């Protein structure tokens, strides 16, 4: 344990610089996050969005109450059908 504490105290400035670099990198990505998030979380315009909107229109239901689950065994896109 003494060697670890000796390393930390000997390289304190370098460790602080590394933490600042990590913090700045995380801040950069955190600033981009609001552009990636929509609604309650991650929202991707994909097949499930298309299916949800079609079901909402056809059955006159709010789209936020519809949960679509795809079966991975039948891995076809809507455009393929």
């Amino acid at each position: 344990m003494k060697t670890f504490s000796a390393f930390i105290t000997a390289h304190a400035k370098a460790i602080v610089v590394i933490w600042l670099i990590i913090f700045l990198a995380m801040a950069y990505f955190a600033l981009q996050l609001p552009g990636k998030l929509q609604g309650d979380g991650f929202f991707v315009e994909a097949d499930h969005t298309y299916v949800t909107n079609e079901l909402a229109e056809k059955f006159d239901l709010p789209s936020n109450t519809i949960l679509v689950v795809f079966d991975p065994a039948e891995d076809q896109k809507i455009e393929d059908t």
Side-chain angles (χ1 to χ4, degrees):
M1 194 63 158
K2 287 183 180 182
T3 57
F4 180 70
S5 61
F7 176 81
I8 296 297
T9 55
H11 301 93
K13 289 181 183 178
I15 292 172
V16 169
V17 169
I18 291 171
W19 275 108
L20 284 174
I21 291 170
I22 292 171
F23 177 76
L24 291 174
M26 289 185 180
Y28 171 74
F29 289 116
L31 290 173
Q32 293 181 355
L33 195 58
K36 306 282 185 198
L37 294 177
Q38 293 180 354
D40 292 340
F42 285 99
F43 178 81
V44 180
E45 193 71 33
D47 289 342
H48 68 280
T49 307
Y50 175 76
V51 171
T52 301
N53 292 338
E54 287 292 319
L55 290 172
E57 288 177 15
K58 185 165 186 144
F59 295 108
D60 195 30
L61 295 169
S63 61
N64 58 353
T65 62
I66 299 173
L67 178 64
V68 178
V69 179
F70 290 102
D71 183 11
E74 310 247 343
D75 194 18
Q76 286 186 333
K77 294 194 178 290
I78 292 176
E79 296 87 27
D80 295 340
T81 58

